[in-house]
Every structure is written in C-alpha cells, then in structure tokens.
Amino acid sequence: IEKEVEEKLLSLASDITAAIEEIEKEVEEEEEPLLANTDNDEVSSTTTTVTEKYFQAFNARDIPLAASYVTDDCEYIDTQYPGSTFGKAPLEAQFTRVAKALPPTFRFVVDDVVEDV
C-alpha cells in the first residue's frame, strides 16, 4: 500500500510541476511587448509612450493635451468620419467634437501599438 501511495504522490507531483511550467510559459508570453517591426527598441518605446499618453489625455477629455501629441502638419484619418483632418488646430477641434459626442464614461483601450519604421 505504501508503494501505491508513493507512486500516486509522485504522479501528482509530476502533474503539478507540468501545470506550473505551463502557467509560467503563458505568463512569459503575456509579458512580451506586442509591437510589430521593433528593430529599434527606443523608437518602439517612444511610439508606445506617445500613443498611450494621447489616449490617456483623450480619455480624461484633456483635448489640448491630446492634440499636443500630434504635429502641426499631421493628417488624421478617423474611419468613423468621412475624409481626413489636416493640421493640429483642426484636429483639436475634431477631437473636441468627438469627445462631446461620446458618453462621459467612454474610454479608449490600447491593446497593441503597431508601427511601421
């Protein structure tokens, strides 16, 4: 009987070890950055930071701050609206219109940042 108990315990220990290793593998995969074309970590980090800051500002409805993350000569394409918006000032006005049209509880969530460098 002792041998059977020992064998069952060893089998359980093996199963537990395998489960822990699988969980650790999944956690490691989740911790990897989800960025495409990331040959230059500095550029990727900056792109991610600016993107996240833009959406944080927009979610806080701090439209001047959100607009500060774009250049004066930018072209912004929002697929919810026809055409493009050109330039920082017109874009800030567009951000203001969009923010007013959304419920105050609406928030953008950034899952991934993809860049083409």
Side-chain angles (χ1 to χ4, degrees):
I1 295 178
E2 288 181 358
K3 182 139 177 105
E4 289 177 32
V5 171
E6 183 180 351
E7 288 175 1
K8 286 183 181 181
L9 287 173
L10 287 173
S11 176
L12 285 172
S14 176
D15 291 346
I16 291 170
T17 301
I20 290 171
E21 289 173 353
E22 184 66 27
I23 290 168
E24 289 174 342
K25 181 180 173 187
E26 290 175 11
V27 168
E28 286 176 7
E29 290 173 359
E30 290 177 2
E31 291 177 349
E32 292 179 23
L34 300 173
L35 300 176
N37 301 323
T38 56
D39 295 334
N40 183 334
D41 289 338
E42 183 179 332
V43 171
S44 299
S45 176
T46 301
T47 301
T48 300
T49 301
V50 169
T51 302
E52 290 169 339
K53 285 182 178 182
Y54 159 77
F55 282 108
Q56 287 170 357
F58 190 95
N59 286 342
R61 301 307 191 261
D62 187 342
I63 302 307
L65 180 60
S68 76
Y69 293 109
V70 300
T71 60
D72 291 329
D73 62 346
C74 76
E75 175 184 7
Y76 186 84
I77 301 169
D78 187 333
T79 58
Q80 295 297 313
Y81 300 93
S84 299
T85 305
F86 296 91
K88 186 182 287 195
L91 188 54
E92 186 171 343
Q94 176 67 5
F95 289 165
T96 300
R97 283 190 294 276
V98 171
K100 287 180 180 178
L102 295 171
T105 56
F106 177 88
R107 299 288 180 265
F108 286 102
V109 176
V110 178
D111 292 321
D112 295 328
V113 176
V114 180
E115 64 180 304
D116 185 13
V117 290

